[in-house]
Amino acid sequence: MPKDGGIGASSKRREDVRFLTGAGNYTDDINLRGQAYVHFLRSDIAHGTITNIDTAAASAMPGVVRIFTGADFQAVGGLPCGWQITDRFGEAMKEPRHPVLADGKVRHVGEPICAVVADTLEQARDAAEAIVVDIDELPAVVDMAKALTADSPKVHDDLSDNMCYDWGFVEENKEAVEEAFRNAAHVTTCELTNNRLVANPMEPRVALGDYDRSSDNSTLYTTSQNPHVIRLLMGAFVLGIPEHKLRVVAPDVGGGFGTKIFHYAEEALCTFAAKALNRPVKWTSTRSEAFVSDAHGRDHVTTIELALDADNNFTAVRTSTLANMGAYLSTFAPSVPTWLHGTLMAGNYKTPLVYVNVRAVFTNTVPVDAYRGAGRPEATFQLERVIDKAARELGVDPIALRRQNFVSEFPYQTPVAVAYDSGDFHRLMDKLEAQADFEGFAARRAKSEAEGKLRGLGINCFIEACGIAPSNLVGQLGARAGLYESATVRVNATGGLVVMTGSHSHGQGHETAFPQVIAEMIGIDESMIEIVHGDTANTPMGMGTYGSRSIAVGGSAMVRATEKIINKAKKIAAHLMEASESDIELKDGAFSVAGTDKSVAWGDVTLAAYVPHNYPLEDIEPGLEETAFYDPSNFTYPAGAYACEVEVDKETGAVTIAKFTTADDFGNVINPMIVDGQVHGGLVQGIGQALMENAAYDENGQLLSASYMDYAMPRASDVPMFTVDHSNGTPCTHNPLGVKGCGEAGAIGSPPTVVNAVVDALQSGGHKVDHVDMPVSPARVWAAMQG
Amino acid sequence: MYNFEFVKPATLADAVAALSGEDAQALGGGQTLIPTLKQRLNQPGTLVSLLSIPEMVGVCKTDDGALSVGGATTHATVSAEAAVDFPGLAGLASHIGDPAVRNRGTIGGSLANNDPAACYPAAALGTGATIVTNAREIAADDYFQGMFATALEEGEVITEVRFPVPEVSNYQKFVQPASRFALVGVFVAKYADGVRVAVTGASEEGVFRWSEAEAALSAIFSVDALAGLSVPADGMIGDLHGTPAYRAHLVAVMTRRAVAAAA
C-alpha cells in the first residue's frame, strides 16, 4: 500500500504548479527599474593576439552607456579555480589567469572581448558591430595529443607547455600494477573517447547585477546551482566585495546539469558594471552564446587495460587518460578527471590494484568542467567497456564475469582511497535479471532479425561517489572549499515550518521532497512545511546542489536542525504537561507523556514558544528556530545494474533503443515518483551522449556543432519506455536518512550499457567490431560494419 | 534582428509591387528566414508576407488531373488535403520538421529557398512538377540550380506548384539526427510513361535525379530492379553526420525503401 505522505510517498511535485502554468520566477523574469542591457562581443577566432580595440565610434552610438574591455578589469582578480591538483611529482597544477574579459589574447571561440552596455539590447548589439577589434590570428590547438607535442602552439604563453597536470593515482601502486600486468594470464585493452558535450539546460544562463549606492550593497541575480559559492568566489576573489555587502539570488533555475555550478565572467561583469554605472545591468544568454560560453562536459581520451588471472579474476586496472580542460580552468575543472574519476576506477569489483594516469591539457576550446556525473561517467564507461570486451575475448558470460569479481562484503576499502559503506551488487543484478527478461532475449533477437535488424543486449554495473563530500577529506585532495550543507528550520507560532536550505533546486523537486522528511519526523502534514532556497540573504551559508548531494547532505542538515527543534519542543511540552522531559514522546504531531493519556498538540507547543506566558523562561529561550550544518563522514555510494537492448538497422546503421531496464540502489528513497523522474532524465542524457550528442571542433577551433542544427539532443521519441527499479536499496550507513542520492545515476550508467549493446548486436551479425566511439551515430555504425 | 518594414499585401499584384522595392524580401512561413534575421545574418529593408493572398493558399485538383498547391500553403495543409489524391506528397509534408514548423512553413518558401536537405525539392523534381510564378511557368528540371540556387528572378513569387499525380509514389527520409532535415531523402514516383527518382540531402549540387535508377525502375518497378545500382560518393556531402560514401550508400537504401513502400 503506497503511503500518502511522508518518507516513501510519491507526493505530487508542488513546484510544478507554477512551472506548468507559466508562473515560475526565473532570472530573466526579473526586471529592475532603469535596467540596462549588456551584449558581449565574443571572439570568433580560436587563438590570437589582440592588437587593437577601437570603441570610439561604438561608444557614440544611440543608447550606449559604457563599453567595457579587458583593460577595465586589470585591477580585479581573474575567475578563480576552486580545486588544486598536485601532480605525480608533487608539483601544483598550472593555473593560468582567467580574465573576465580577454586580456591581450583570445584563446577560444566565444571568449568575451568587450561588454557593451546600452539602454536596450538591440542598441548594445548595434554598437558591438561598430567596435573594431584587430586580432593577429595564431595557430590554434584543439587535439589534446597534438597539444602535448613540443612544437604545439601554446594556449598560454606564460606556461612552459599545454599540460595542466600529470596526475598519478595511486602513484605508490604504479610498480605493483605493472608487476600484476606482467603476471597476468590475460590482458584486455580498450582505447576510447568520452565525447565532449554541451549541457544545454532548457533555461540559458542569465545574470542581472544591481547596486544600491545608499548602502553600497551589490546584488547579483543569476542562474546558479550554488548562490553562496558564487558570492564567495566572485566577492572574495574577483571583485573584492565582502560577503556582507553582496547578495546573490538564484531564483527558479531551469536545469543546471553541472554547467550552472561555476562562476562565470558574465556574472562578474554584470555585478561590476552595475556598481560602476549605478544602474542594474542584465545579460541573457542566447542559445548560440550558450554553445560557446557554458562550460562543456567530458572530453576524455583513454586507454584502459584490465589484467585477469587464469581464473578470470581481475588482478589490476591501468588507465591513461587525456582530459581536456579547454582554454582556461573552469571552477571545478581539475577535480573532475582526478578525484571524481580515479577514485571510481575500482567500480563494483574487488580488483586489488589500480593505477590511473590523467594528463590534463589546455586547448583552444571552451573550458570543460562538471556535467551530470562528472568524472564518474568517464570512469564507468571505460571500466565497463573493457570488462565487456574481456568477457567477449575470453568467451565467458559478461554477467558471470562481473558477478565473479563483485565486491560482496561491506564496508569495503577500495585500492583507490574511497571506502564503500554499503551495497549489494549481486542483489542488484538479481533484480535486473528478474526484470529484464533475459530468457526472452533470444526470441526478441530472432524477431528483430526477421525485420532486418541486429539486436544486441548490453549489461553494465556501476557505482558512484555522491553526497559530496567530507570536507576534511576533500580538503586533503585539493578542494579549496568545504562541502558541508546547512539548514535553518523556523517554526512559526501557528505550527507551520519554513526550511531555509543551502541546497538549491533547479528541477530536483526539493520543495516537495524535503517537506516529506520533516512531515515524517514530526507527524504533521507536508503542506505545513515550506522550503526557501536560492537567496544568500535569507538562507544559511550553503554549498549548493551538484554531485547528487542535496538529500544526502542538505537533507541531513535539515534532519539535524529538525532534531534540535524537536528536542526543544519536547522541553516546552514537558513544561506544559508538568512532566519529565525524558518521558515526552512525539507521535502524529502530538506530544504525550509516556504511560499516561496526557498530550499536547504540536501547535500548542509552537504557540507557547512564541507566546511564552506559561514557559520555562529560566531554562530555555522563547522561539523555535534552529540551524544545523552537516558535514558527511564519507561519500555515499549509489550503485546500479542496467540492461539495454538495441536494434541496429543493417542497411543504415541506425541504432534504436528497444528496451532499457534499470536496478538502482539509492539507499532509502524519499519520493519514488521524483526518483523515477531523476532516473528517466539521467537515462535520456546518457543515451543522448551514447547515440547523438557531440561537441565537435574543427582543427581551427571552430565548434562544428554550435546549434541544434548540428548538435543532436535526444527527444522523447528517441527513447523507449523505461523499466526502472530502486526498491529495497541498502541504506547509507552514515547519514541520518540512509539516503545515497539519485541525480546522476542514469547519466553514469547508461552510456556503456548502450555501447555494450551495440557491440553485441554488431558481433551477432558477424562483424568483427569490438568498439564504436560515442556518439554511436548511424554513420559510425555503418562504417564499423564495413570493416 | 535589425529593423525592417513589414507589409502583408492581400493580392499578388500588390505583393509583386512591394517586392520591387529596394531591399524587399518575400516572407513565407519564415522557418528559415526568421532565424537568420534573429542572428542578424540578413538585413532586408522590407519583408513582404505572402500569407494573406487567397489565391496562393490551398490544394486542389486541376482539370487535367494534376494536383495544384498554392505557394503559400503550409505543410500541415498539404499533409491533410493531399492525403487522398497524392498520398506520397502528403506523407512527405507530414514529416517535415515538427508540428510548429509544419503549421508555419510553406511549400513556396521551401522551394524558393532550395535548402540542399529540404524535402519538397525531392517531390517537385521527382514528379516533374511545374513551378508557377507570377511571371511564368518553370519545369522542375529547369528550376533547381544547385544549393540554395533556383531559376527564380529577383522579386519573382511562387504562386503555385502543379504536381502531375503519379500512379504510385513514396518519399523516404533518413533524418540528420540533430536538425531532422534529410541526411538523404528519396522521392520515387511511377507514371504510365516512366519512373522518376529524385534525391535530396545528399549532393553538393542540391537535389538531383538518379537517372540510372529511373531507367531500371521504368523497365521493372521493383526493388530487385535496383540490385547493384549505386551512386558515386564523389560529389556527395561530407560533414559531421556522414561521409560522402555513407550518403551515397543511403541513396541506394532509401531508394529501395521508397520503391518497396510505393509498390
Side-chain angles (χ1 to χ4, degrees), chain A residues 156-211:
Chain A
H156 296 276
D157 301 326
D158 52 336
L159 303 183
S160 55
D161 54 39
N162 291 320
M163 183 136 67
C164 177
Y165 54 74
D166 179 356
W167 185 75
F169 182 69
V170 173
E171 192 63 25
E172 293 72 28
N173 289 348
K174 190 166 188 286
E175 180 48 41
V177 169
E178 285 169 10
E179 177 72 19
F181 272 90
R182 282 193 291 272
N183 296 331
H186 184 85
V187 173
T188 297
T189 304
C190 214
E191 293 179 12
L192 40 83
T193 296
N194 205 289
N195 41 328
R196 180 186 277 245
L197 304 175
V198 181
N200 281 306
M202 192 175 290
E203 178 205 28
R205 289 189 298 117
V206 181
L208 169 58
D210 190 23
Y211 178 69

Side-chain angles (χ1 to χ4, degrees), chain A residues 541-771:
Chain A
M541 174 71 182
M543 298 309 293
T545 290
Y546 38 82
S548 305
R549 70 191 301 269
S550 288
I551 198 66
V553 191
S556 295
M558 182 180 66
V559 168
R560 291 279 189 257
T562 306
E563 286 169 352
K564 291 184 189 178
I565 293 282
I566 291 171
N567 288 339
K568 184 172 177 182
K570 282 182 175 176
K571 287 190 174 73
I572 301 168
H575 175 84
L576 292 176
M577 292 186 284
E578 298 178 337
S580 166
E581 185 192 331
S582 59
D583 291 335
I584 303 296
E585 294 172 348
L586 171 61
K587 189 164 185 272
D588 296 336
F591 295 92
S592 59
V593 181
T596 75
D597 60 357
K598 282 206 258 184
S599 163
V600 288
W602 168 254
D604 295 329
V605 172
T606 62
L607 187 65
Y610 289 95
V611 188
H613 297 163
N614 173 19
Y615 195 85
L617 287 165
E618 61 283 5
D619 295 328
I620 51 175
E621 297 170 4
L624 205 48
E625 175 167 327
E626 299 288 351
T627 294
F629 283 71
Y630 179 82
D631 203 298
S633 59
N634 192 354
F635 294 90
T636 64
Y637 299 96
Y642 287 5
C644 172
E645 292 181 23
V646 298
E647 285 188 327
V648 177
D649 185 320
K650 288 182 190 176
E651 290 188 311
T652 65
V655 176
T656 308
I657 309 279
K659 187 173 166 68
F660 208 110
T661 311
T662 70
D664 276 299
D665 178 357
F666 296 131
N668 295 330
V669 165
I670 307 301
N671 183 317
M673 178 197 70
I674 289 178
V675 172
D676 282 354
Q678 286 280 341
V679 175
H680 290 174
L683 290 176
V684 175
Q685 282 186 304
I687 290 169
Q689 169 167 29
L691 295 183
M692 304 175 75
E693 298 187 43
N694 191 19
Y697 279 93
D698 72 9
E699 60 188 13
N700 298 316
Q702 295 292 335
L703 184 60
L704 295 172
S705 47
S707 81
Y708 291 141
M709 290 299 283
D710 287 299
Y711 190 93
M713 293 289 284
R715 296 155 163 101
S717 57
D718 293 315
V719 296
M721 296 299 286
F722 300 121
T723 303
V724 304
D725 179 281
H726 42 72
S727 60
N728 304 313
T730 59
C732 171
T733 60
H734 57 79
N735 65 42
L737 291 167
V739 293
K740 296 184 174 182
C742 66
E744 296 161 294
I748 293 169
S750 53
T753 320
V754 172
V755 178
N756 288 348
V758 171
V759 171
D760 183 57
L762 294 177
Q763 293 196 355
S764 79
H767 299 287
K768 291 185 172 52
V769 174
D770 54 28
H771 181 68

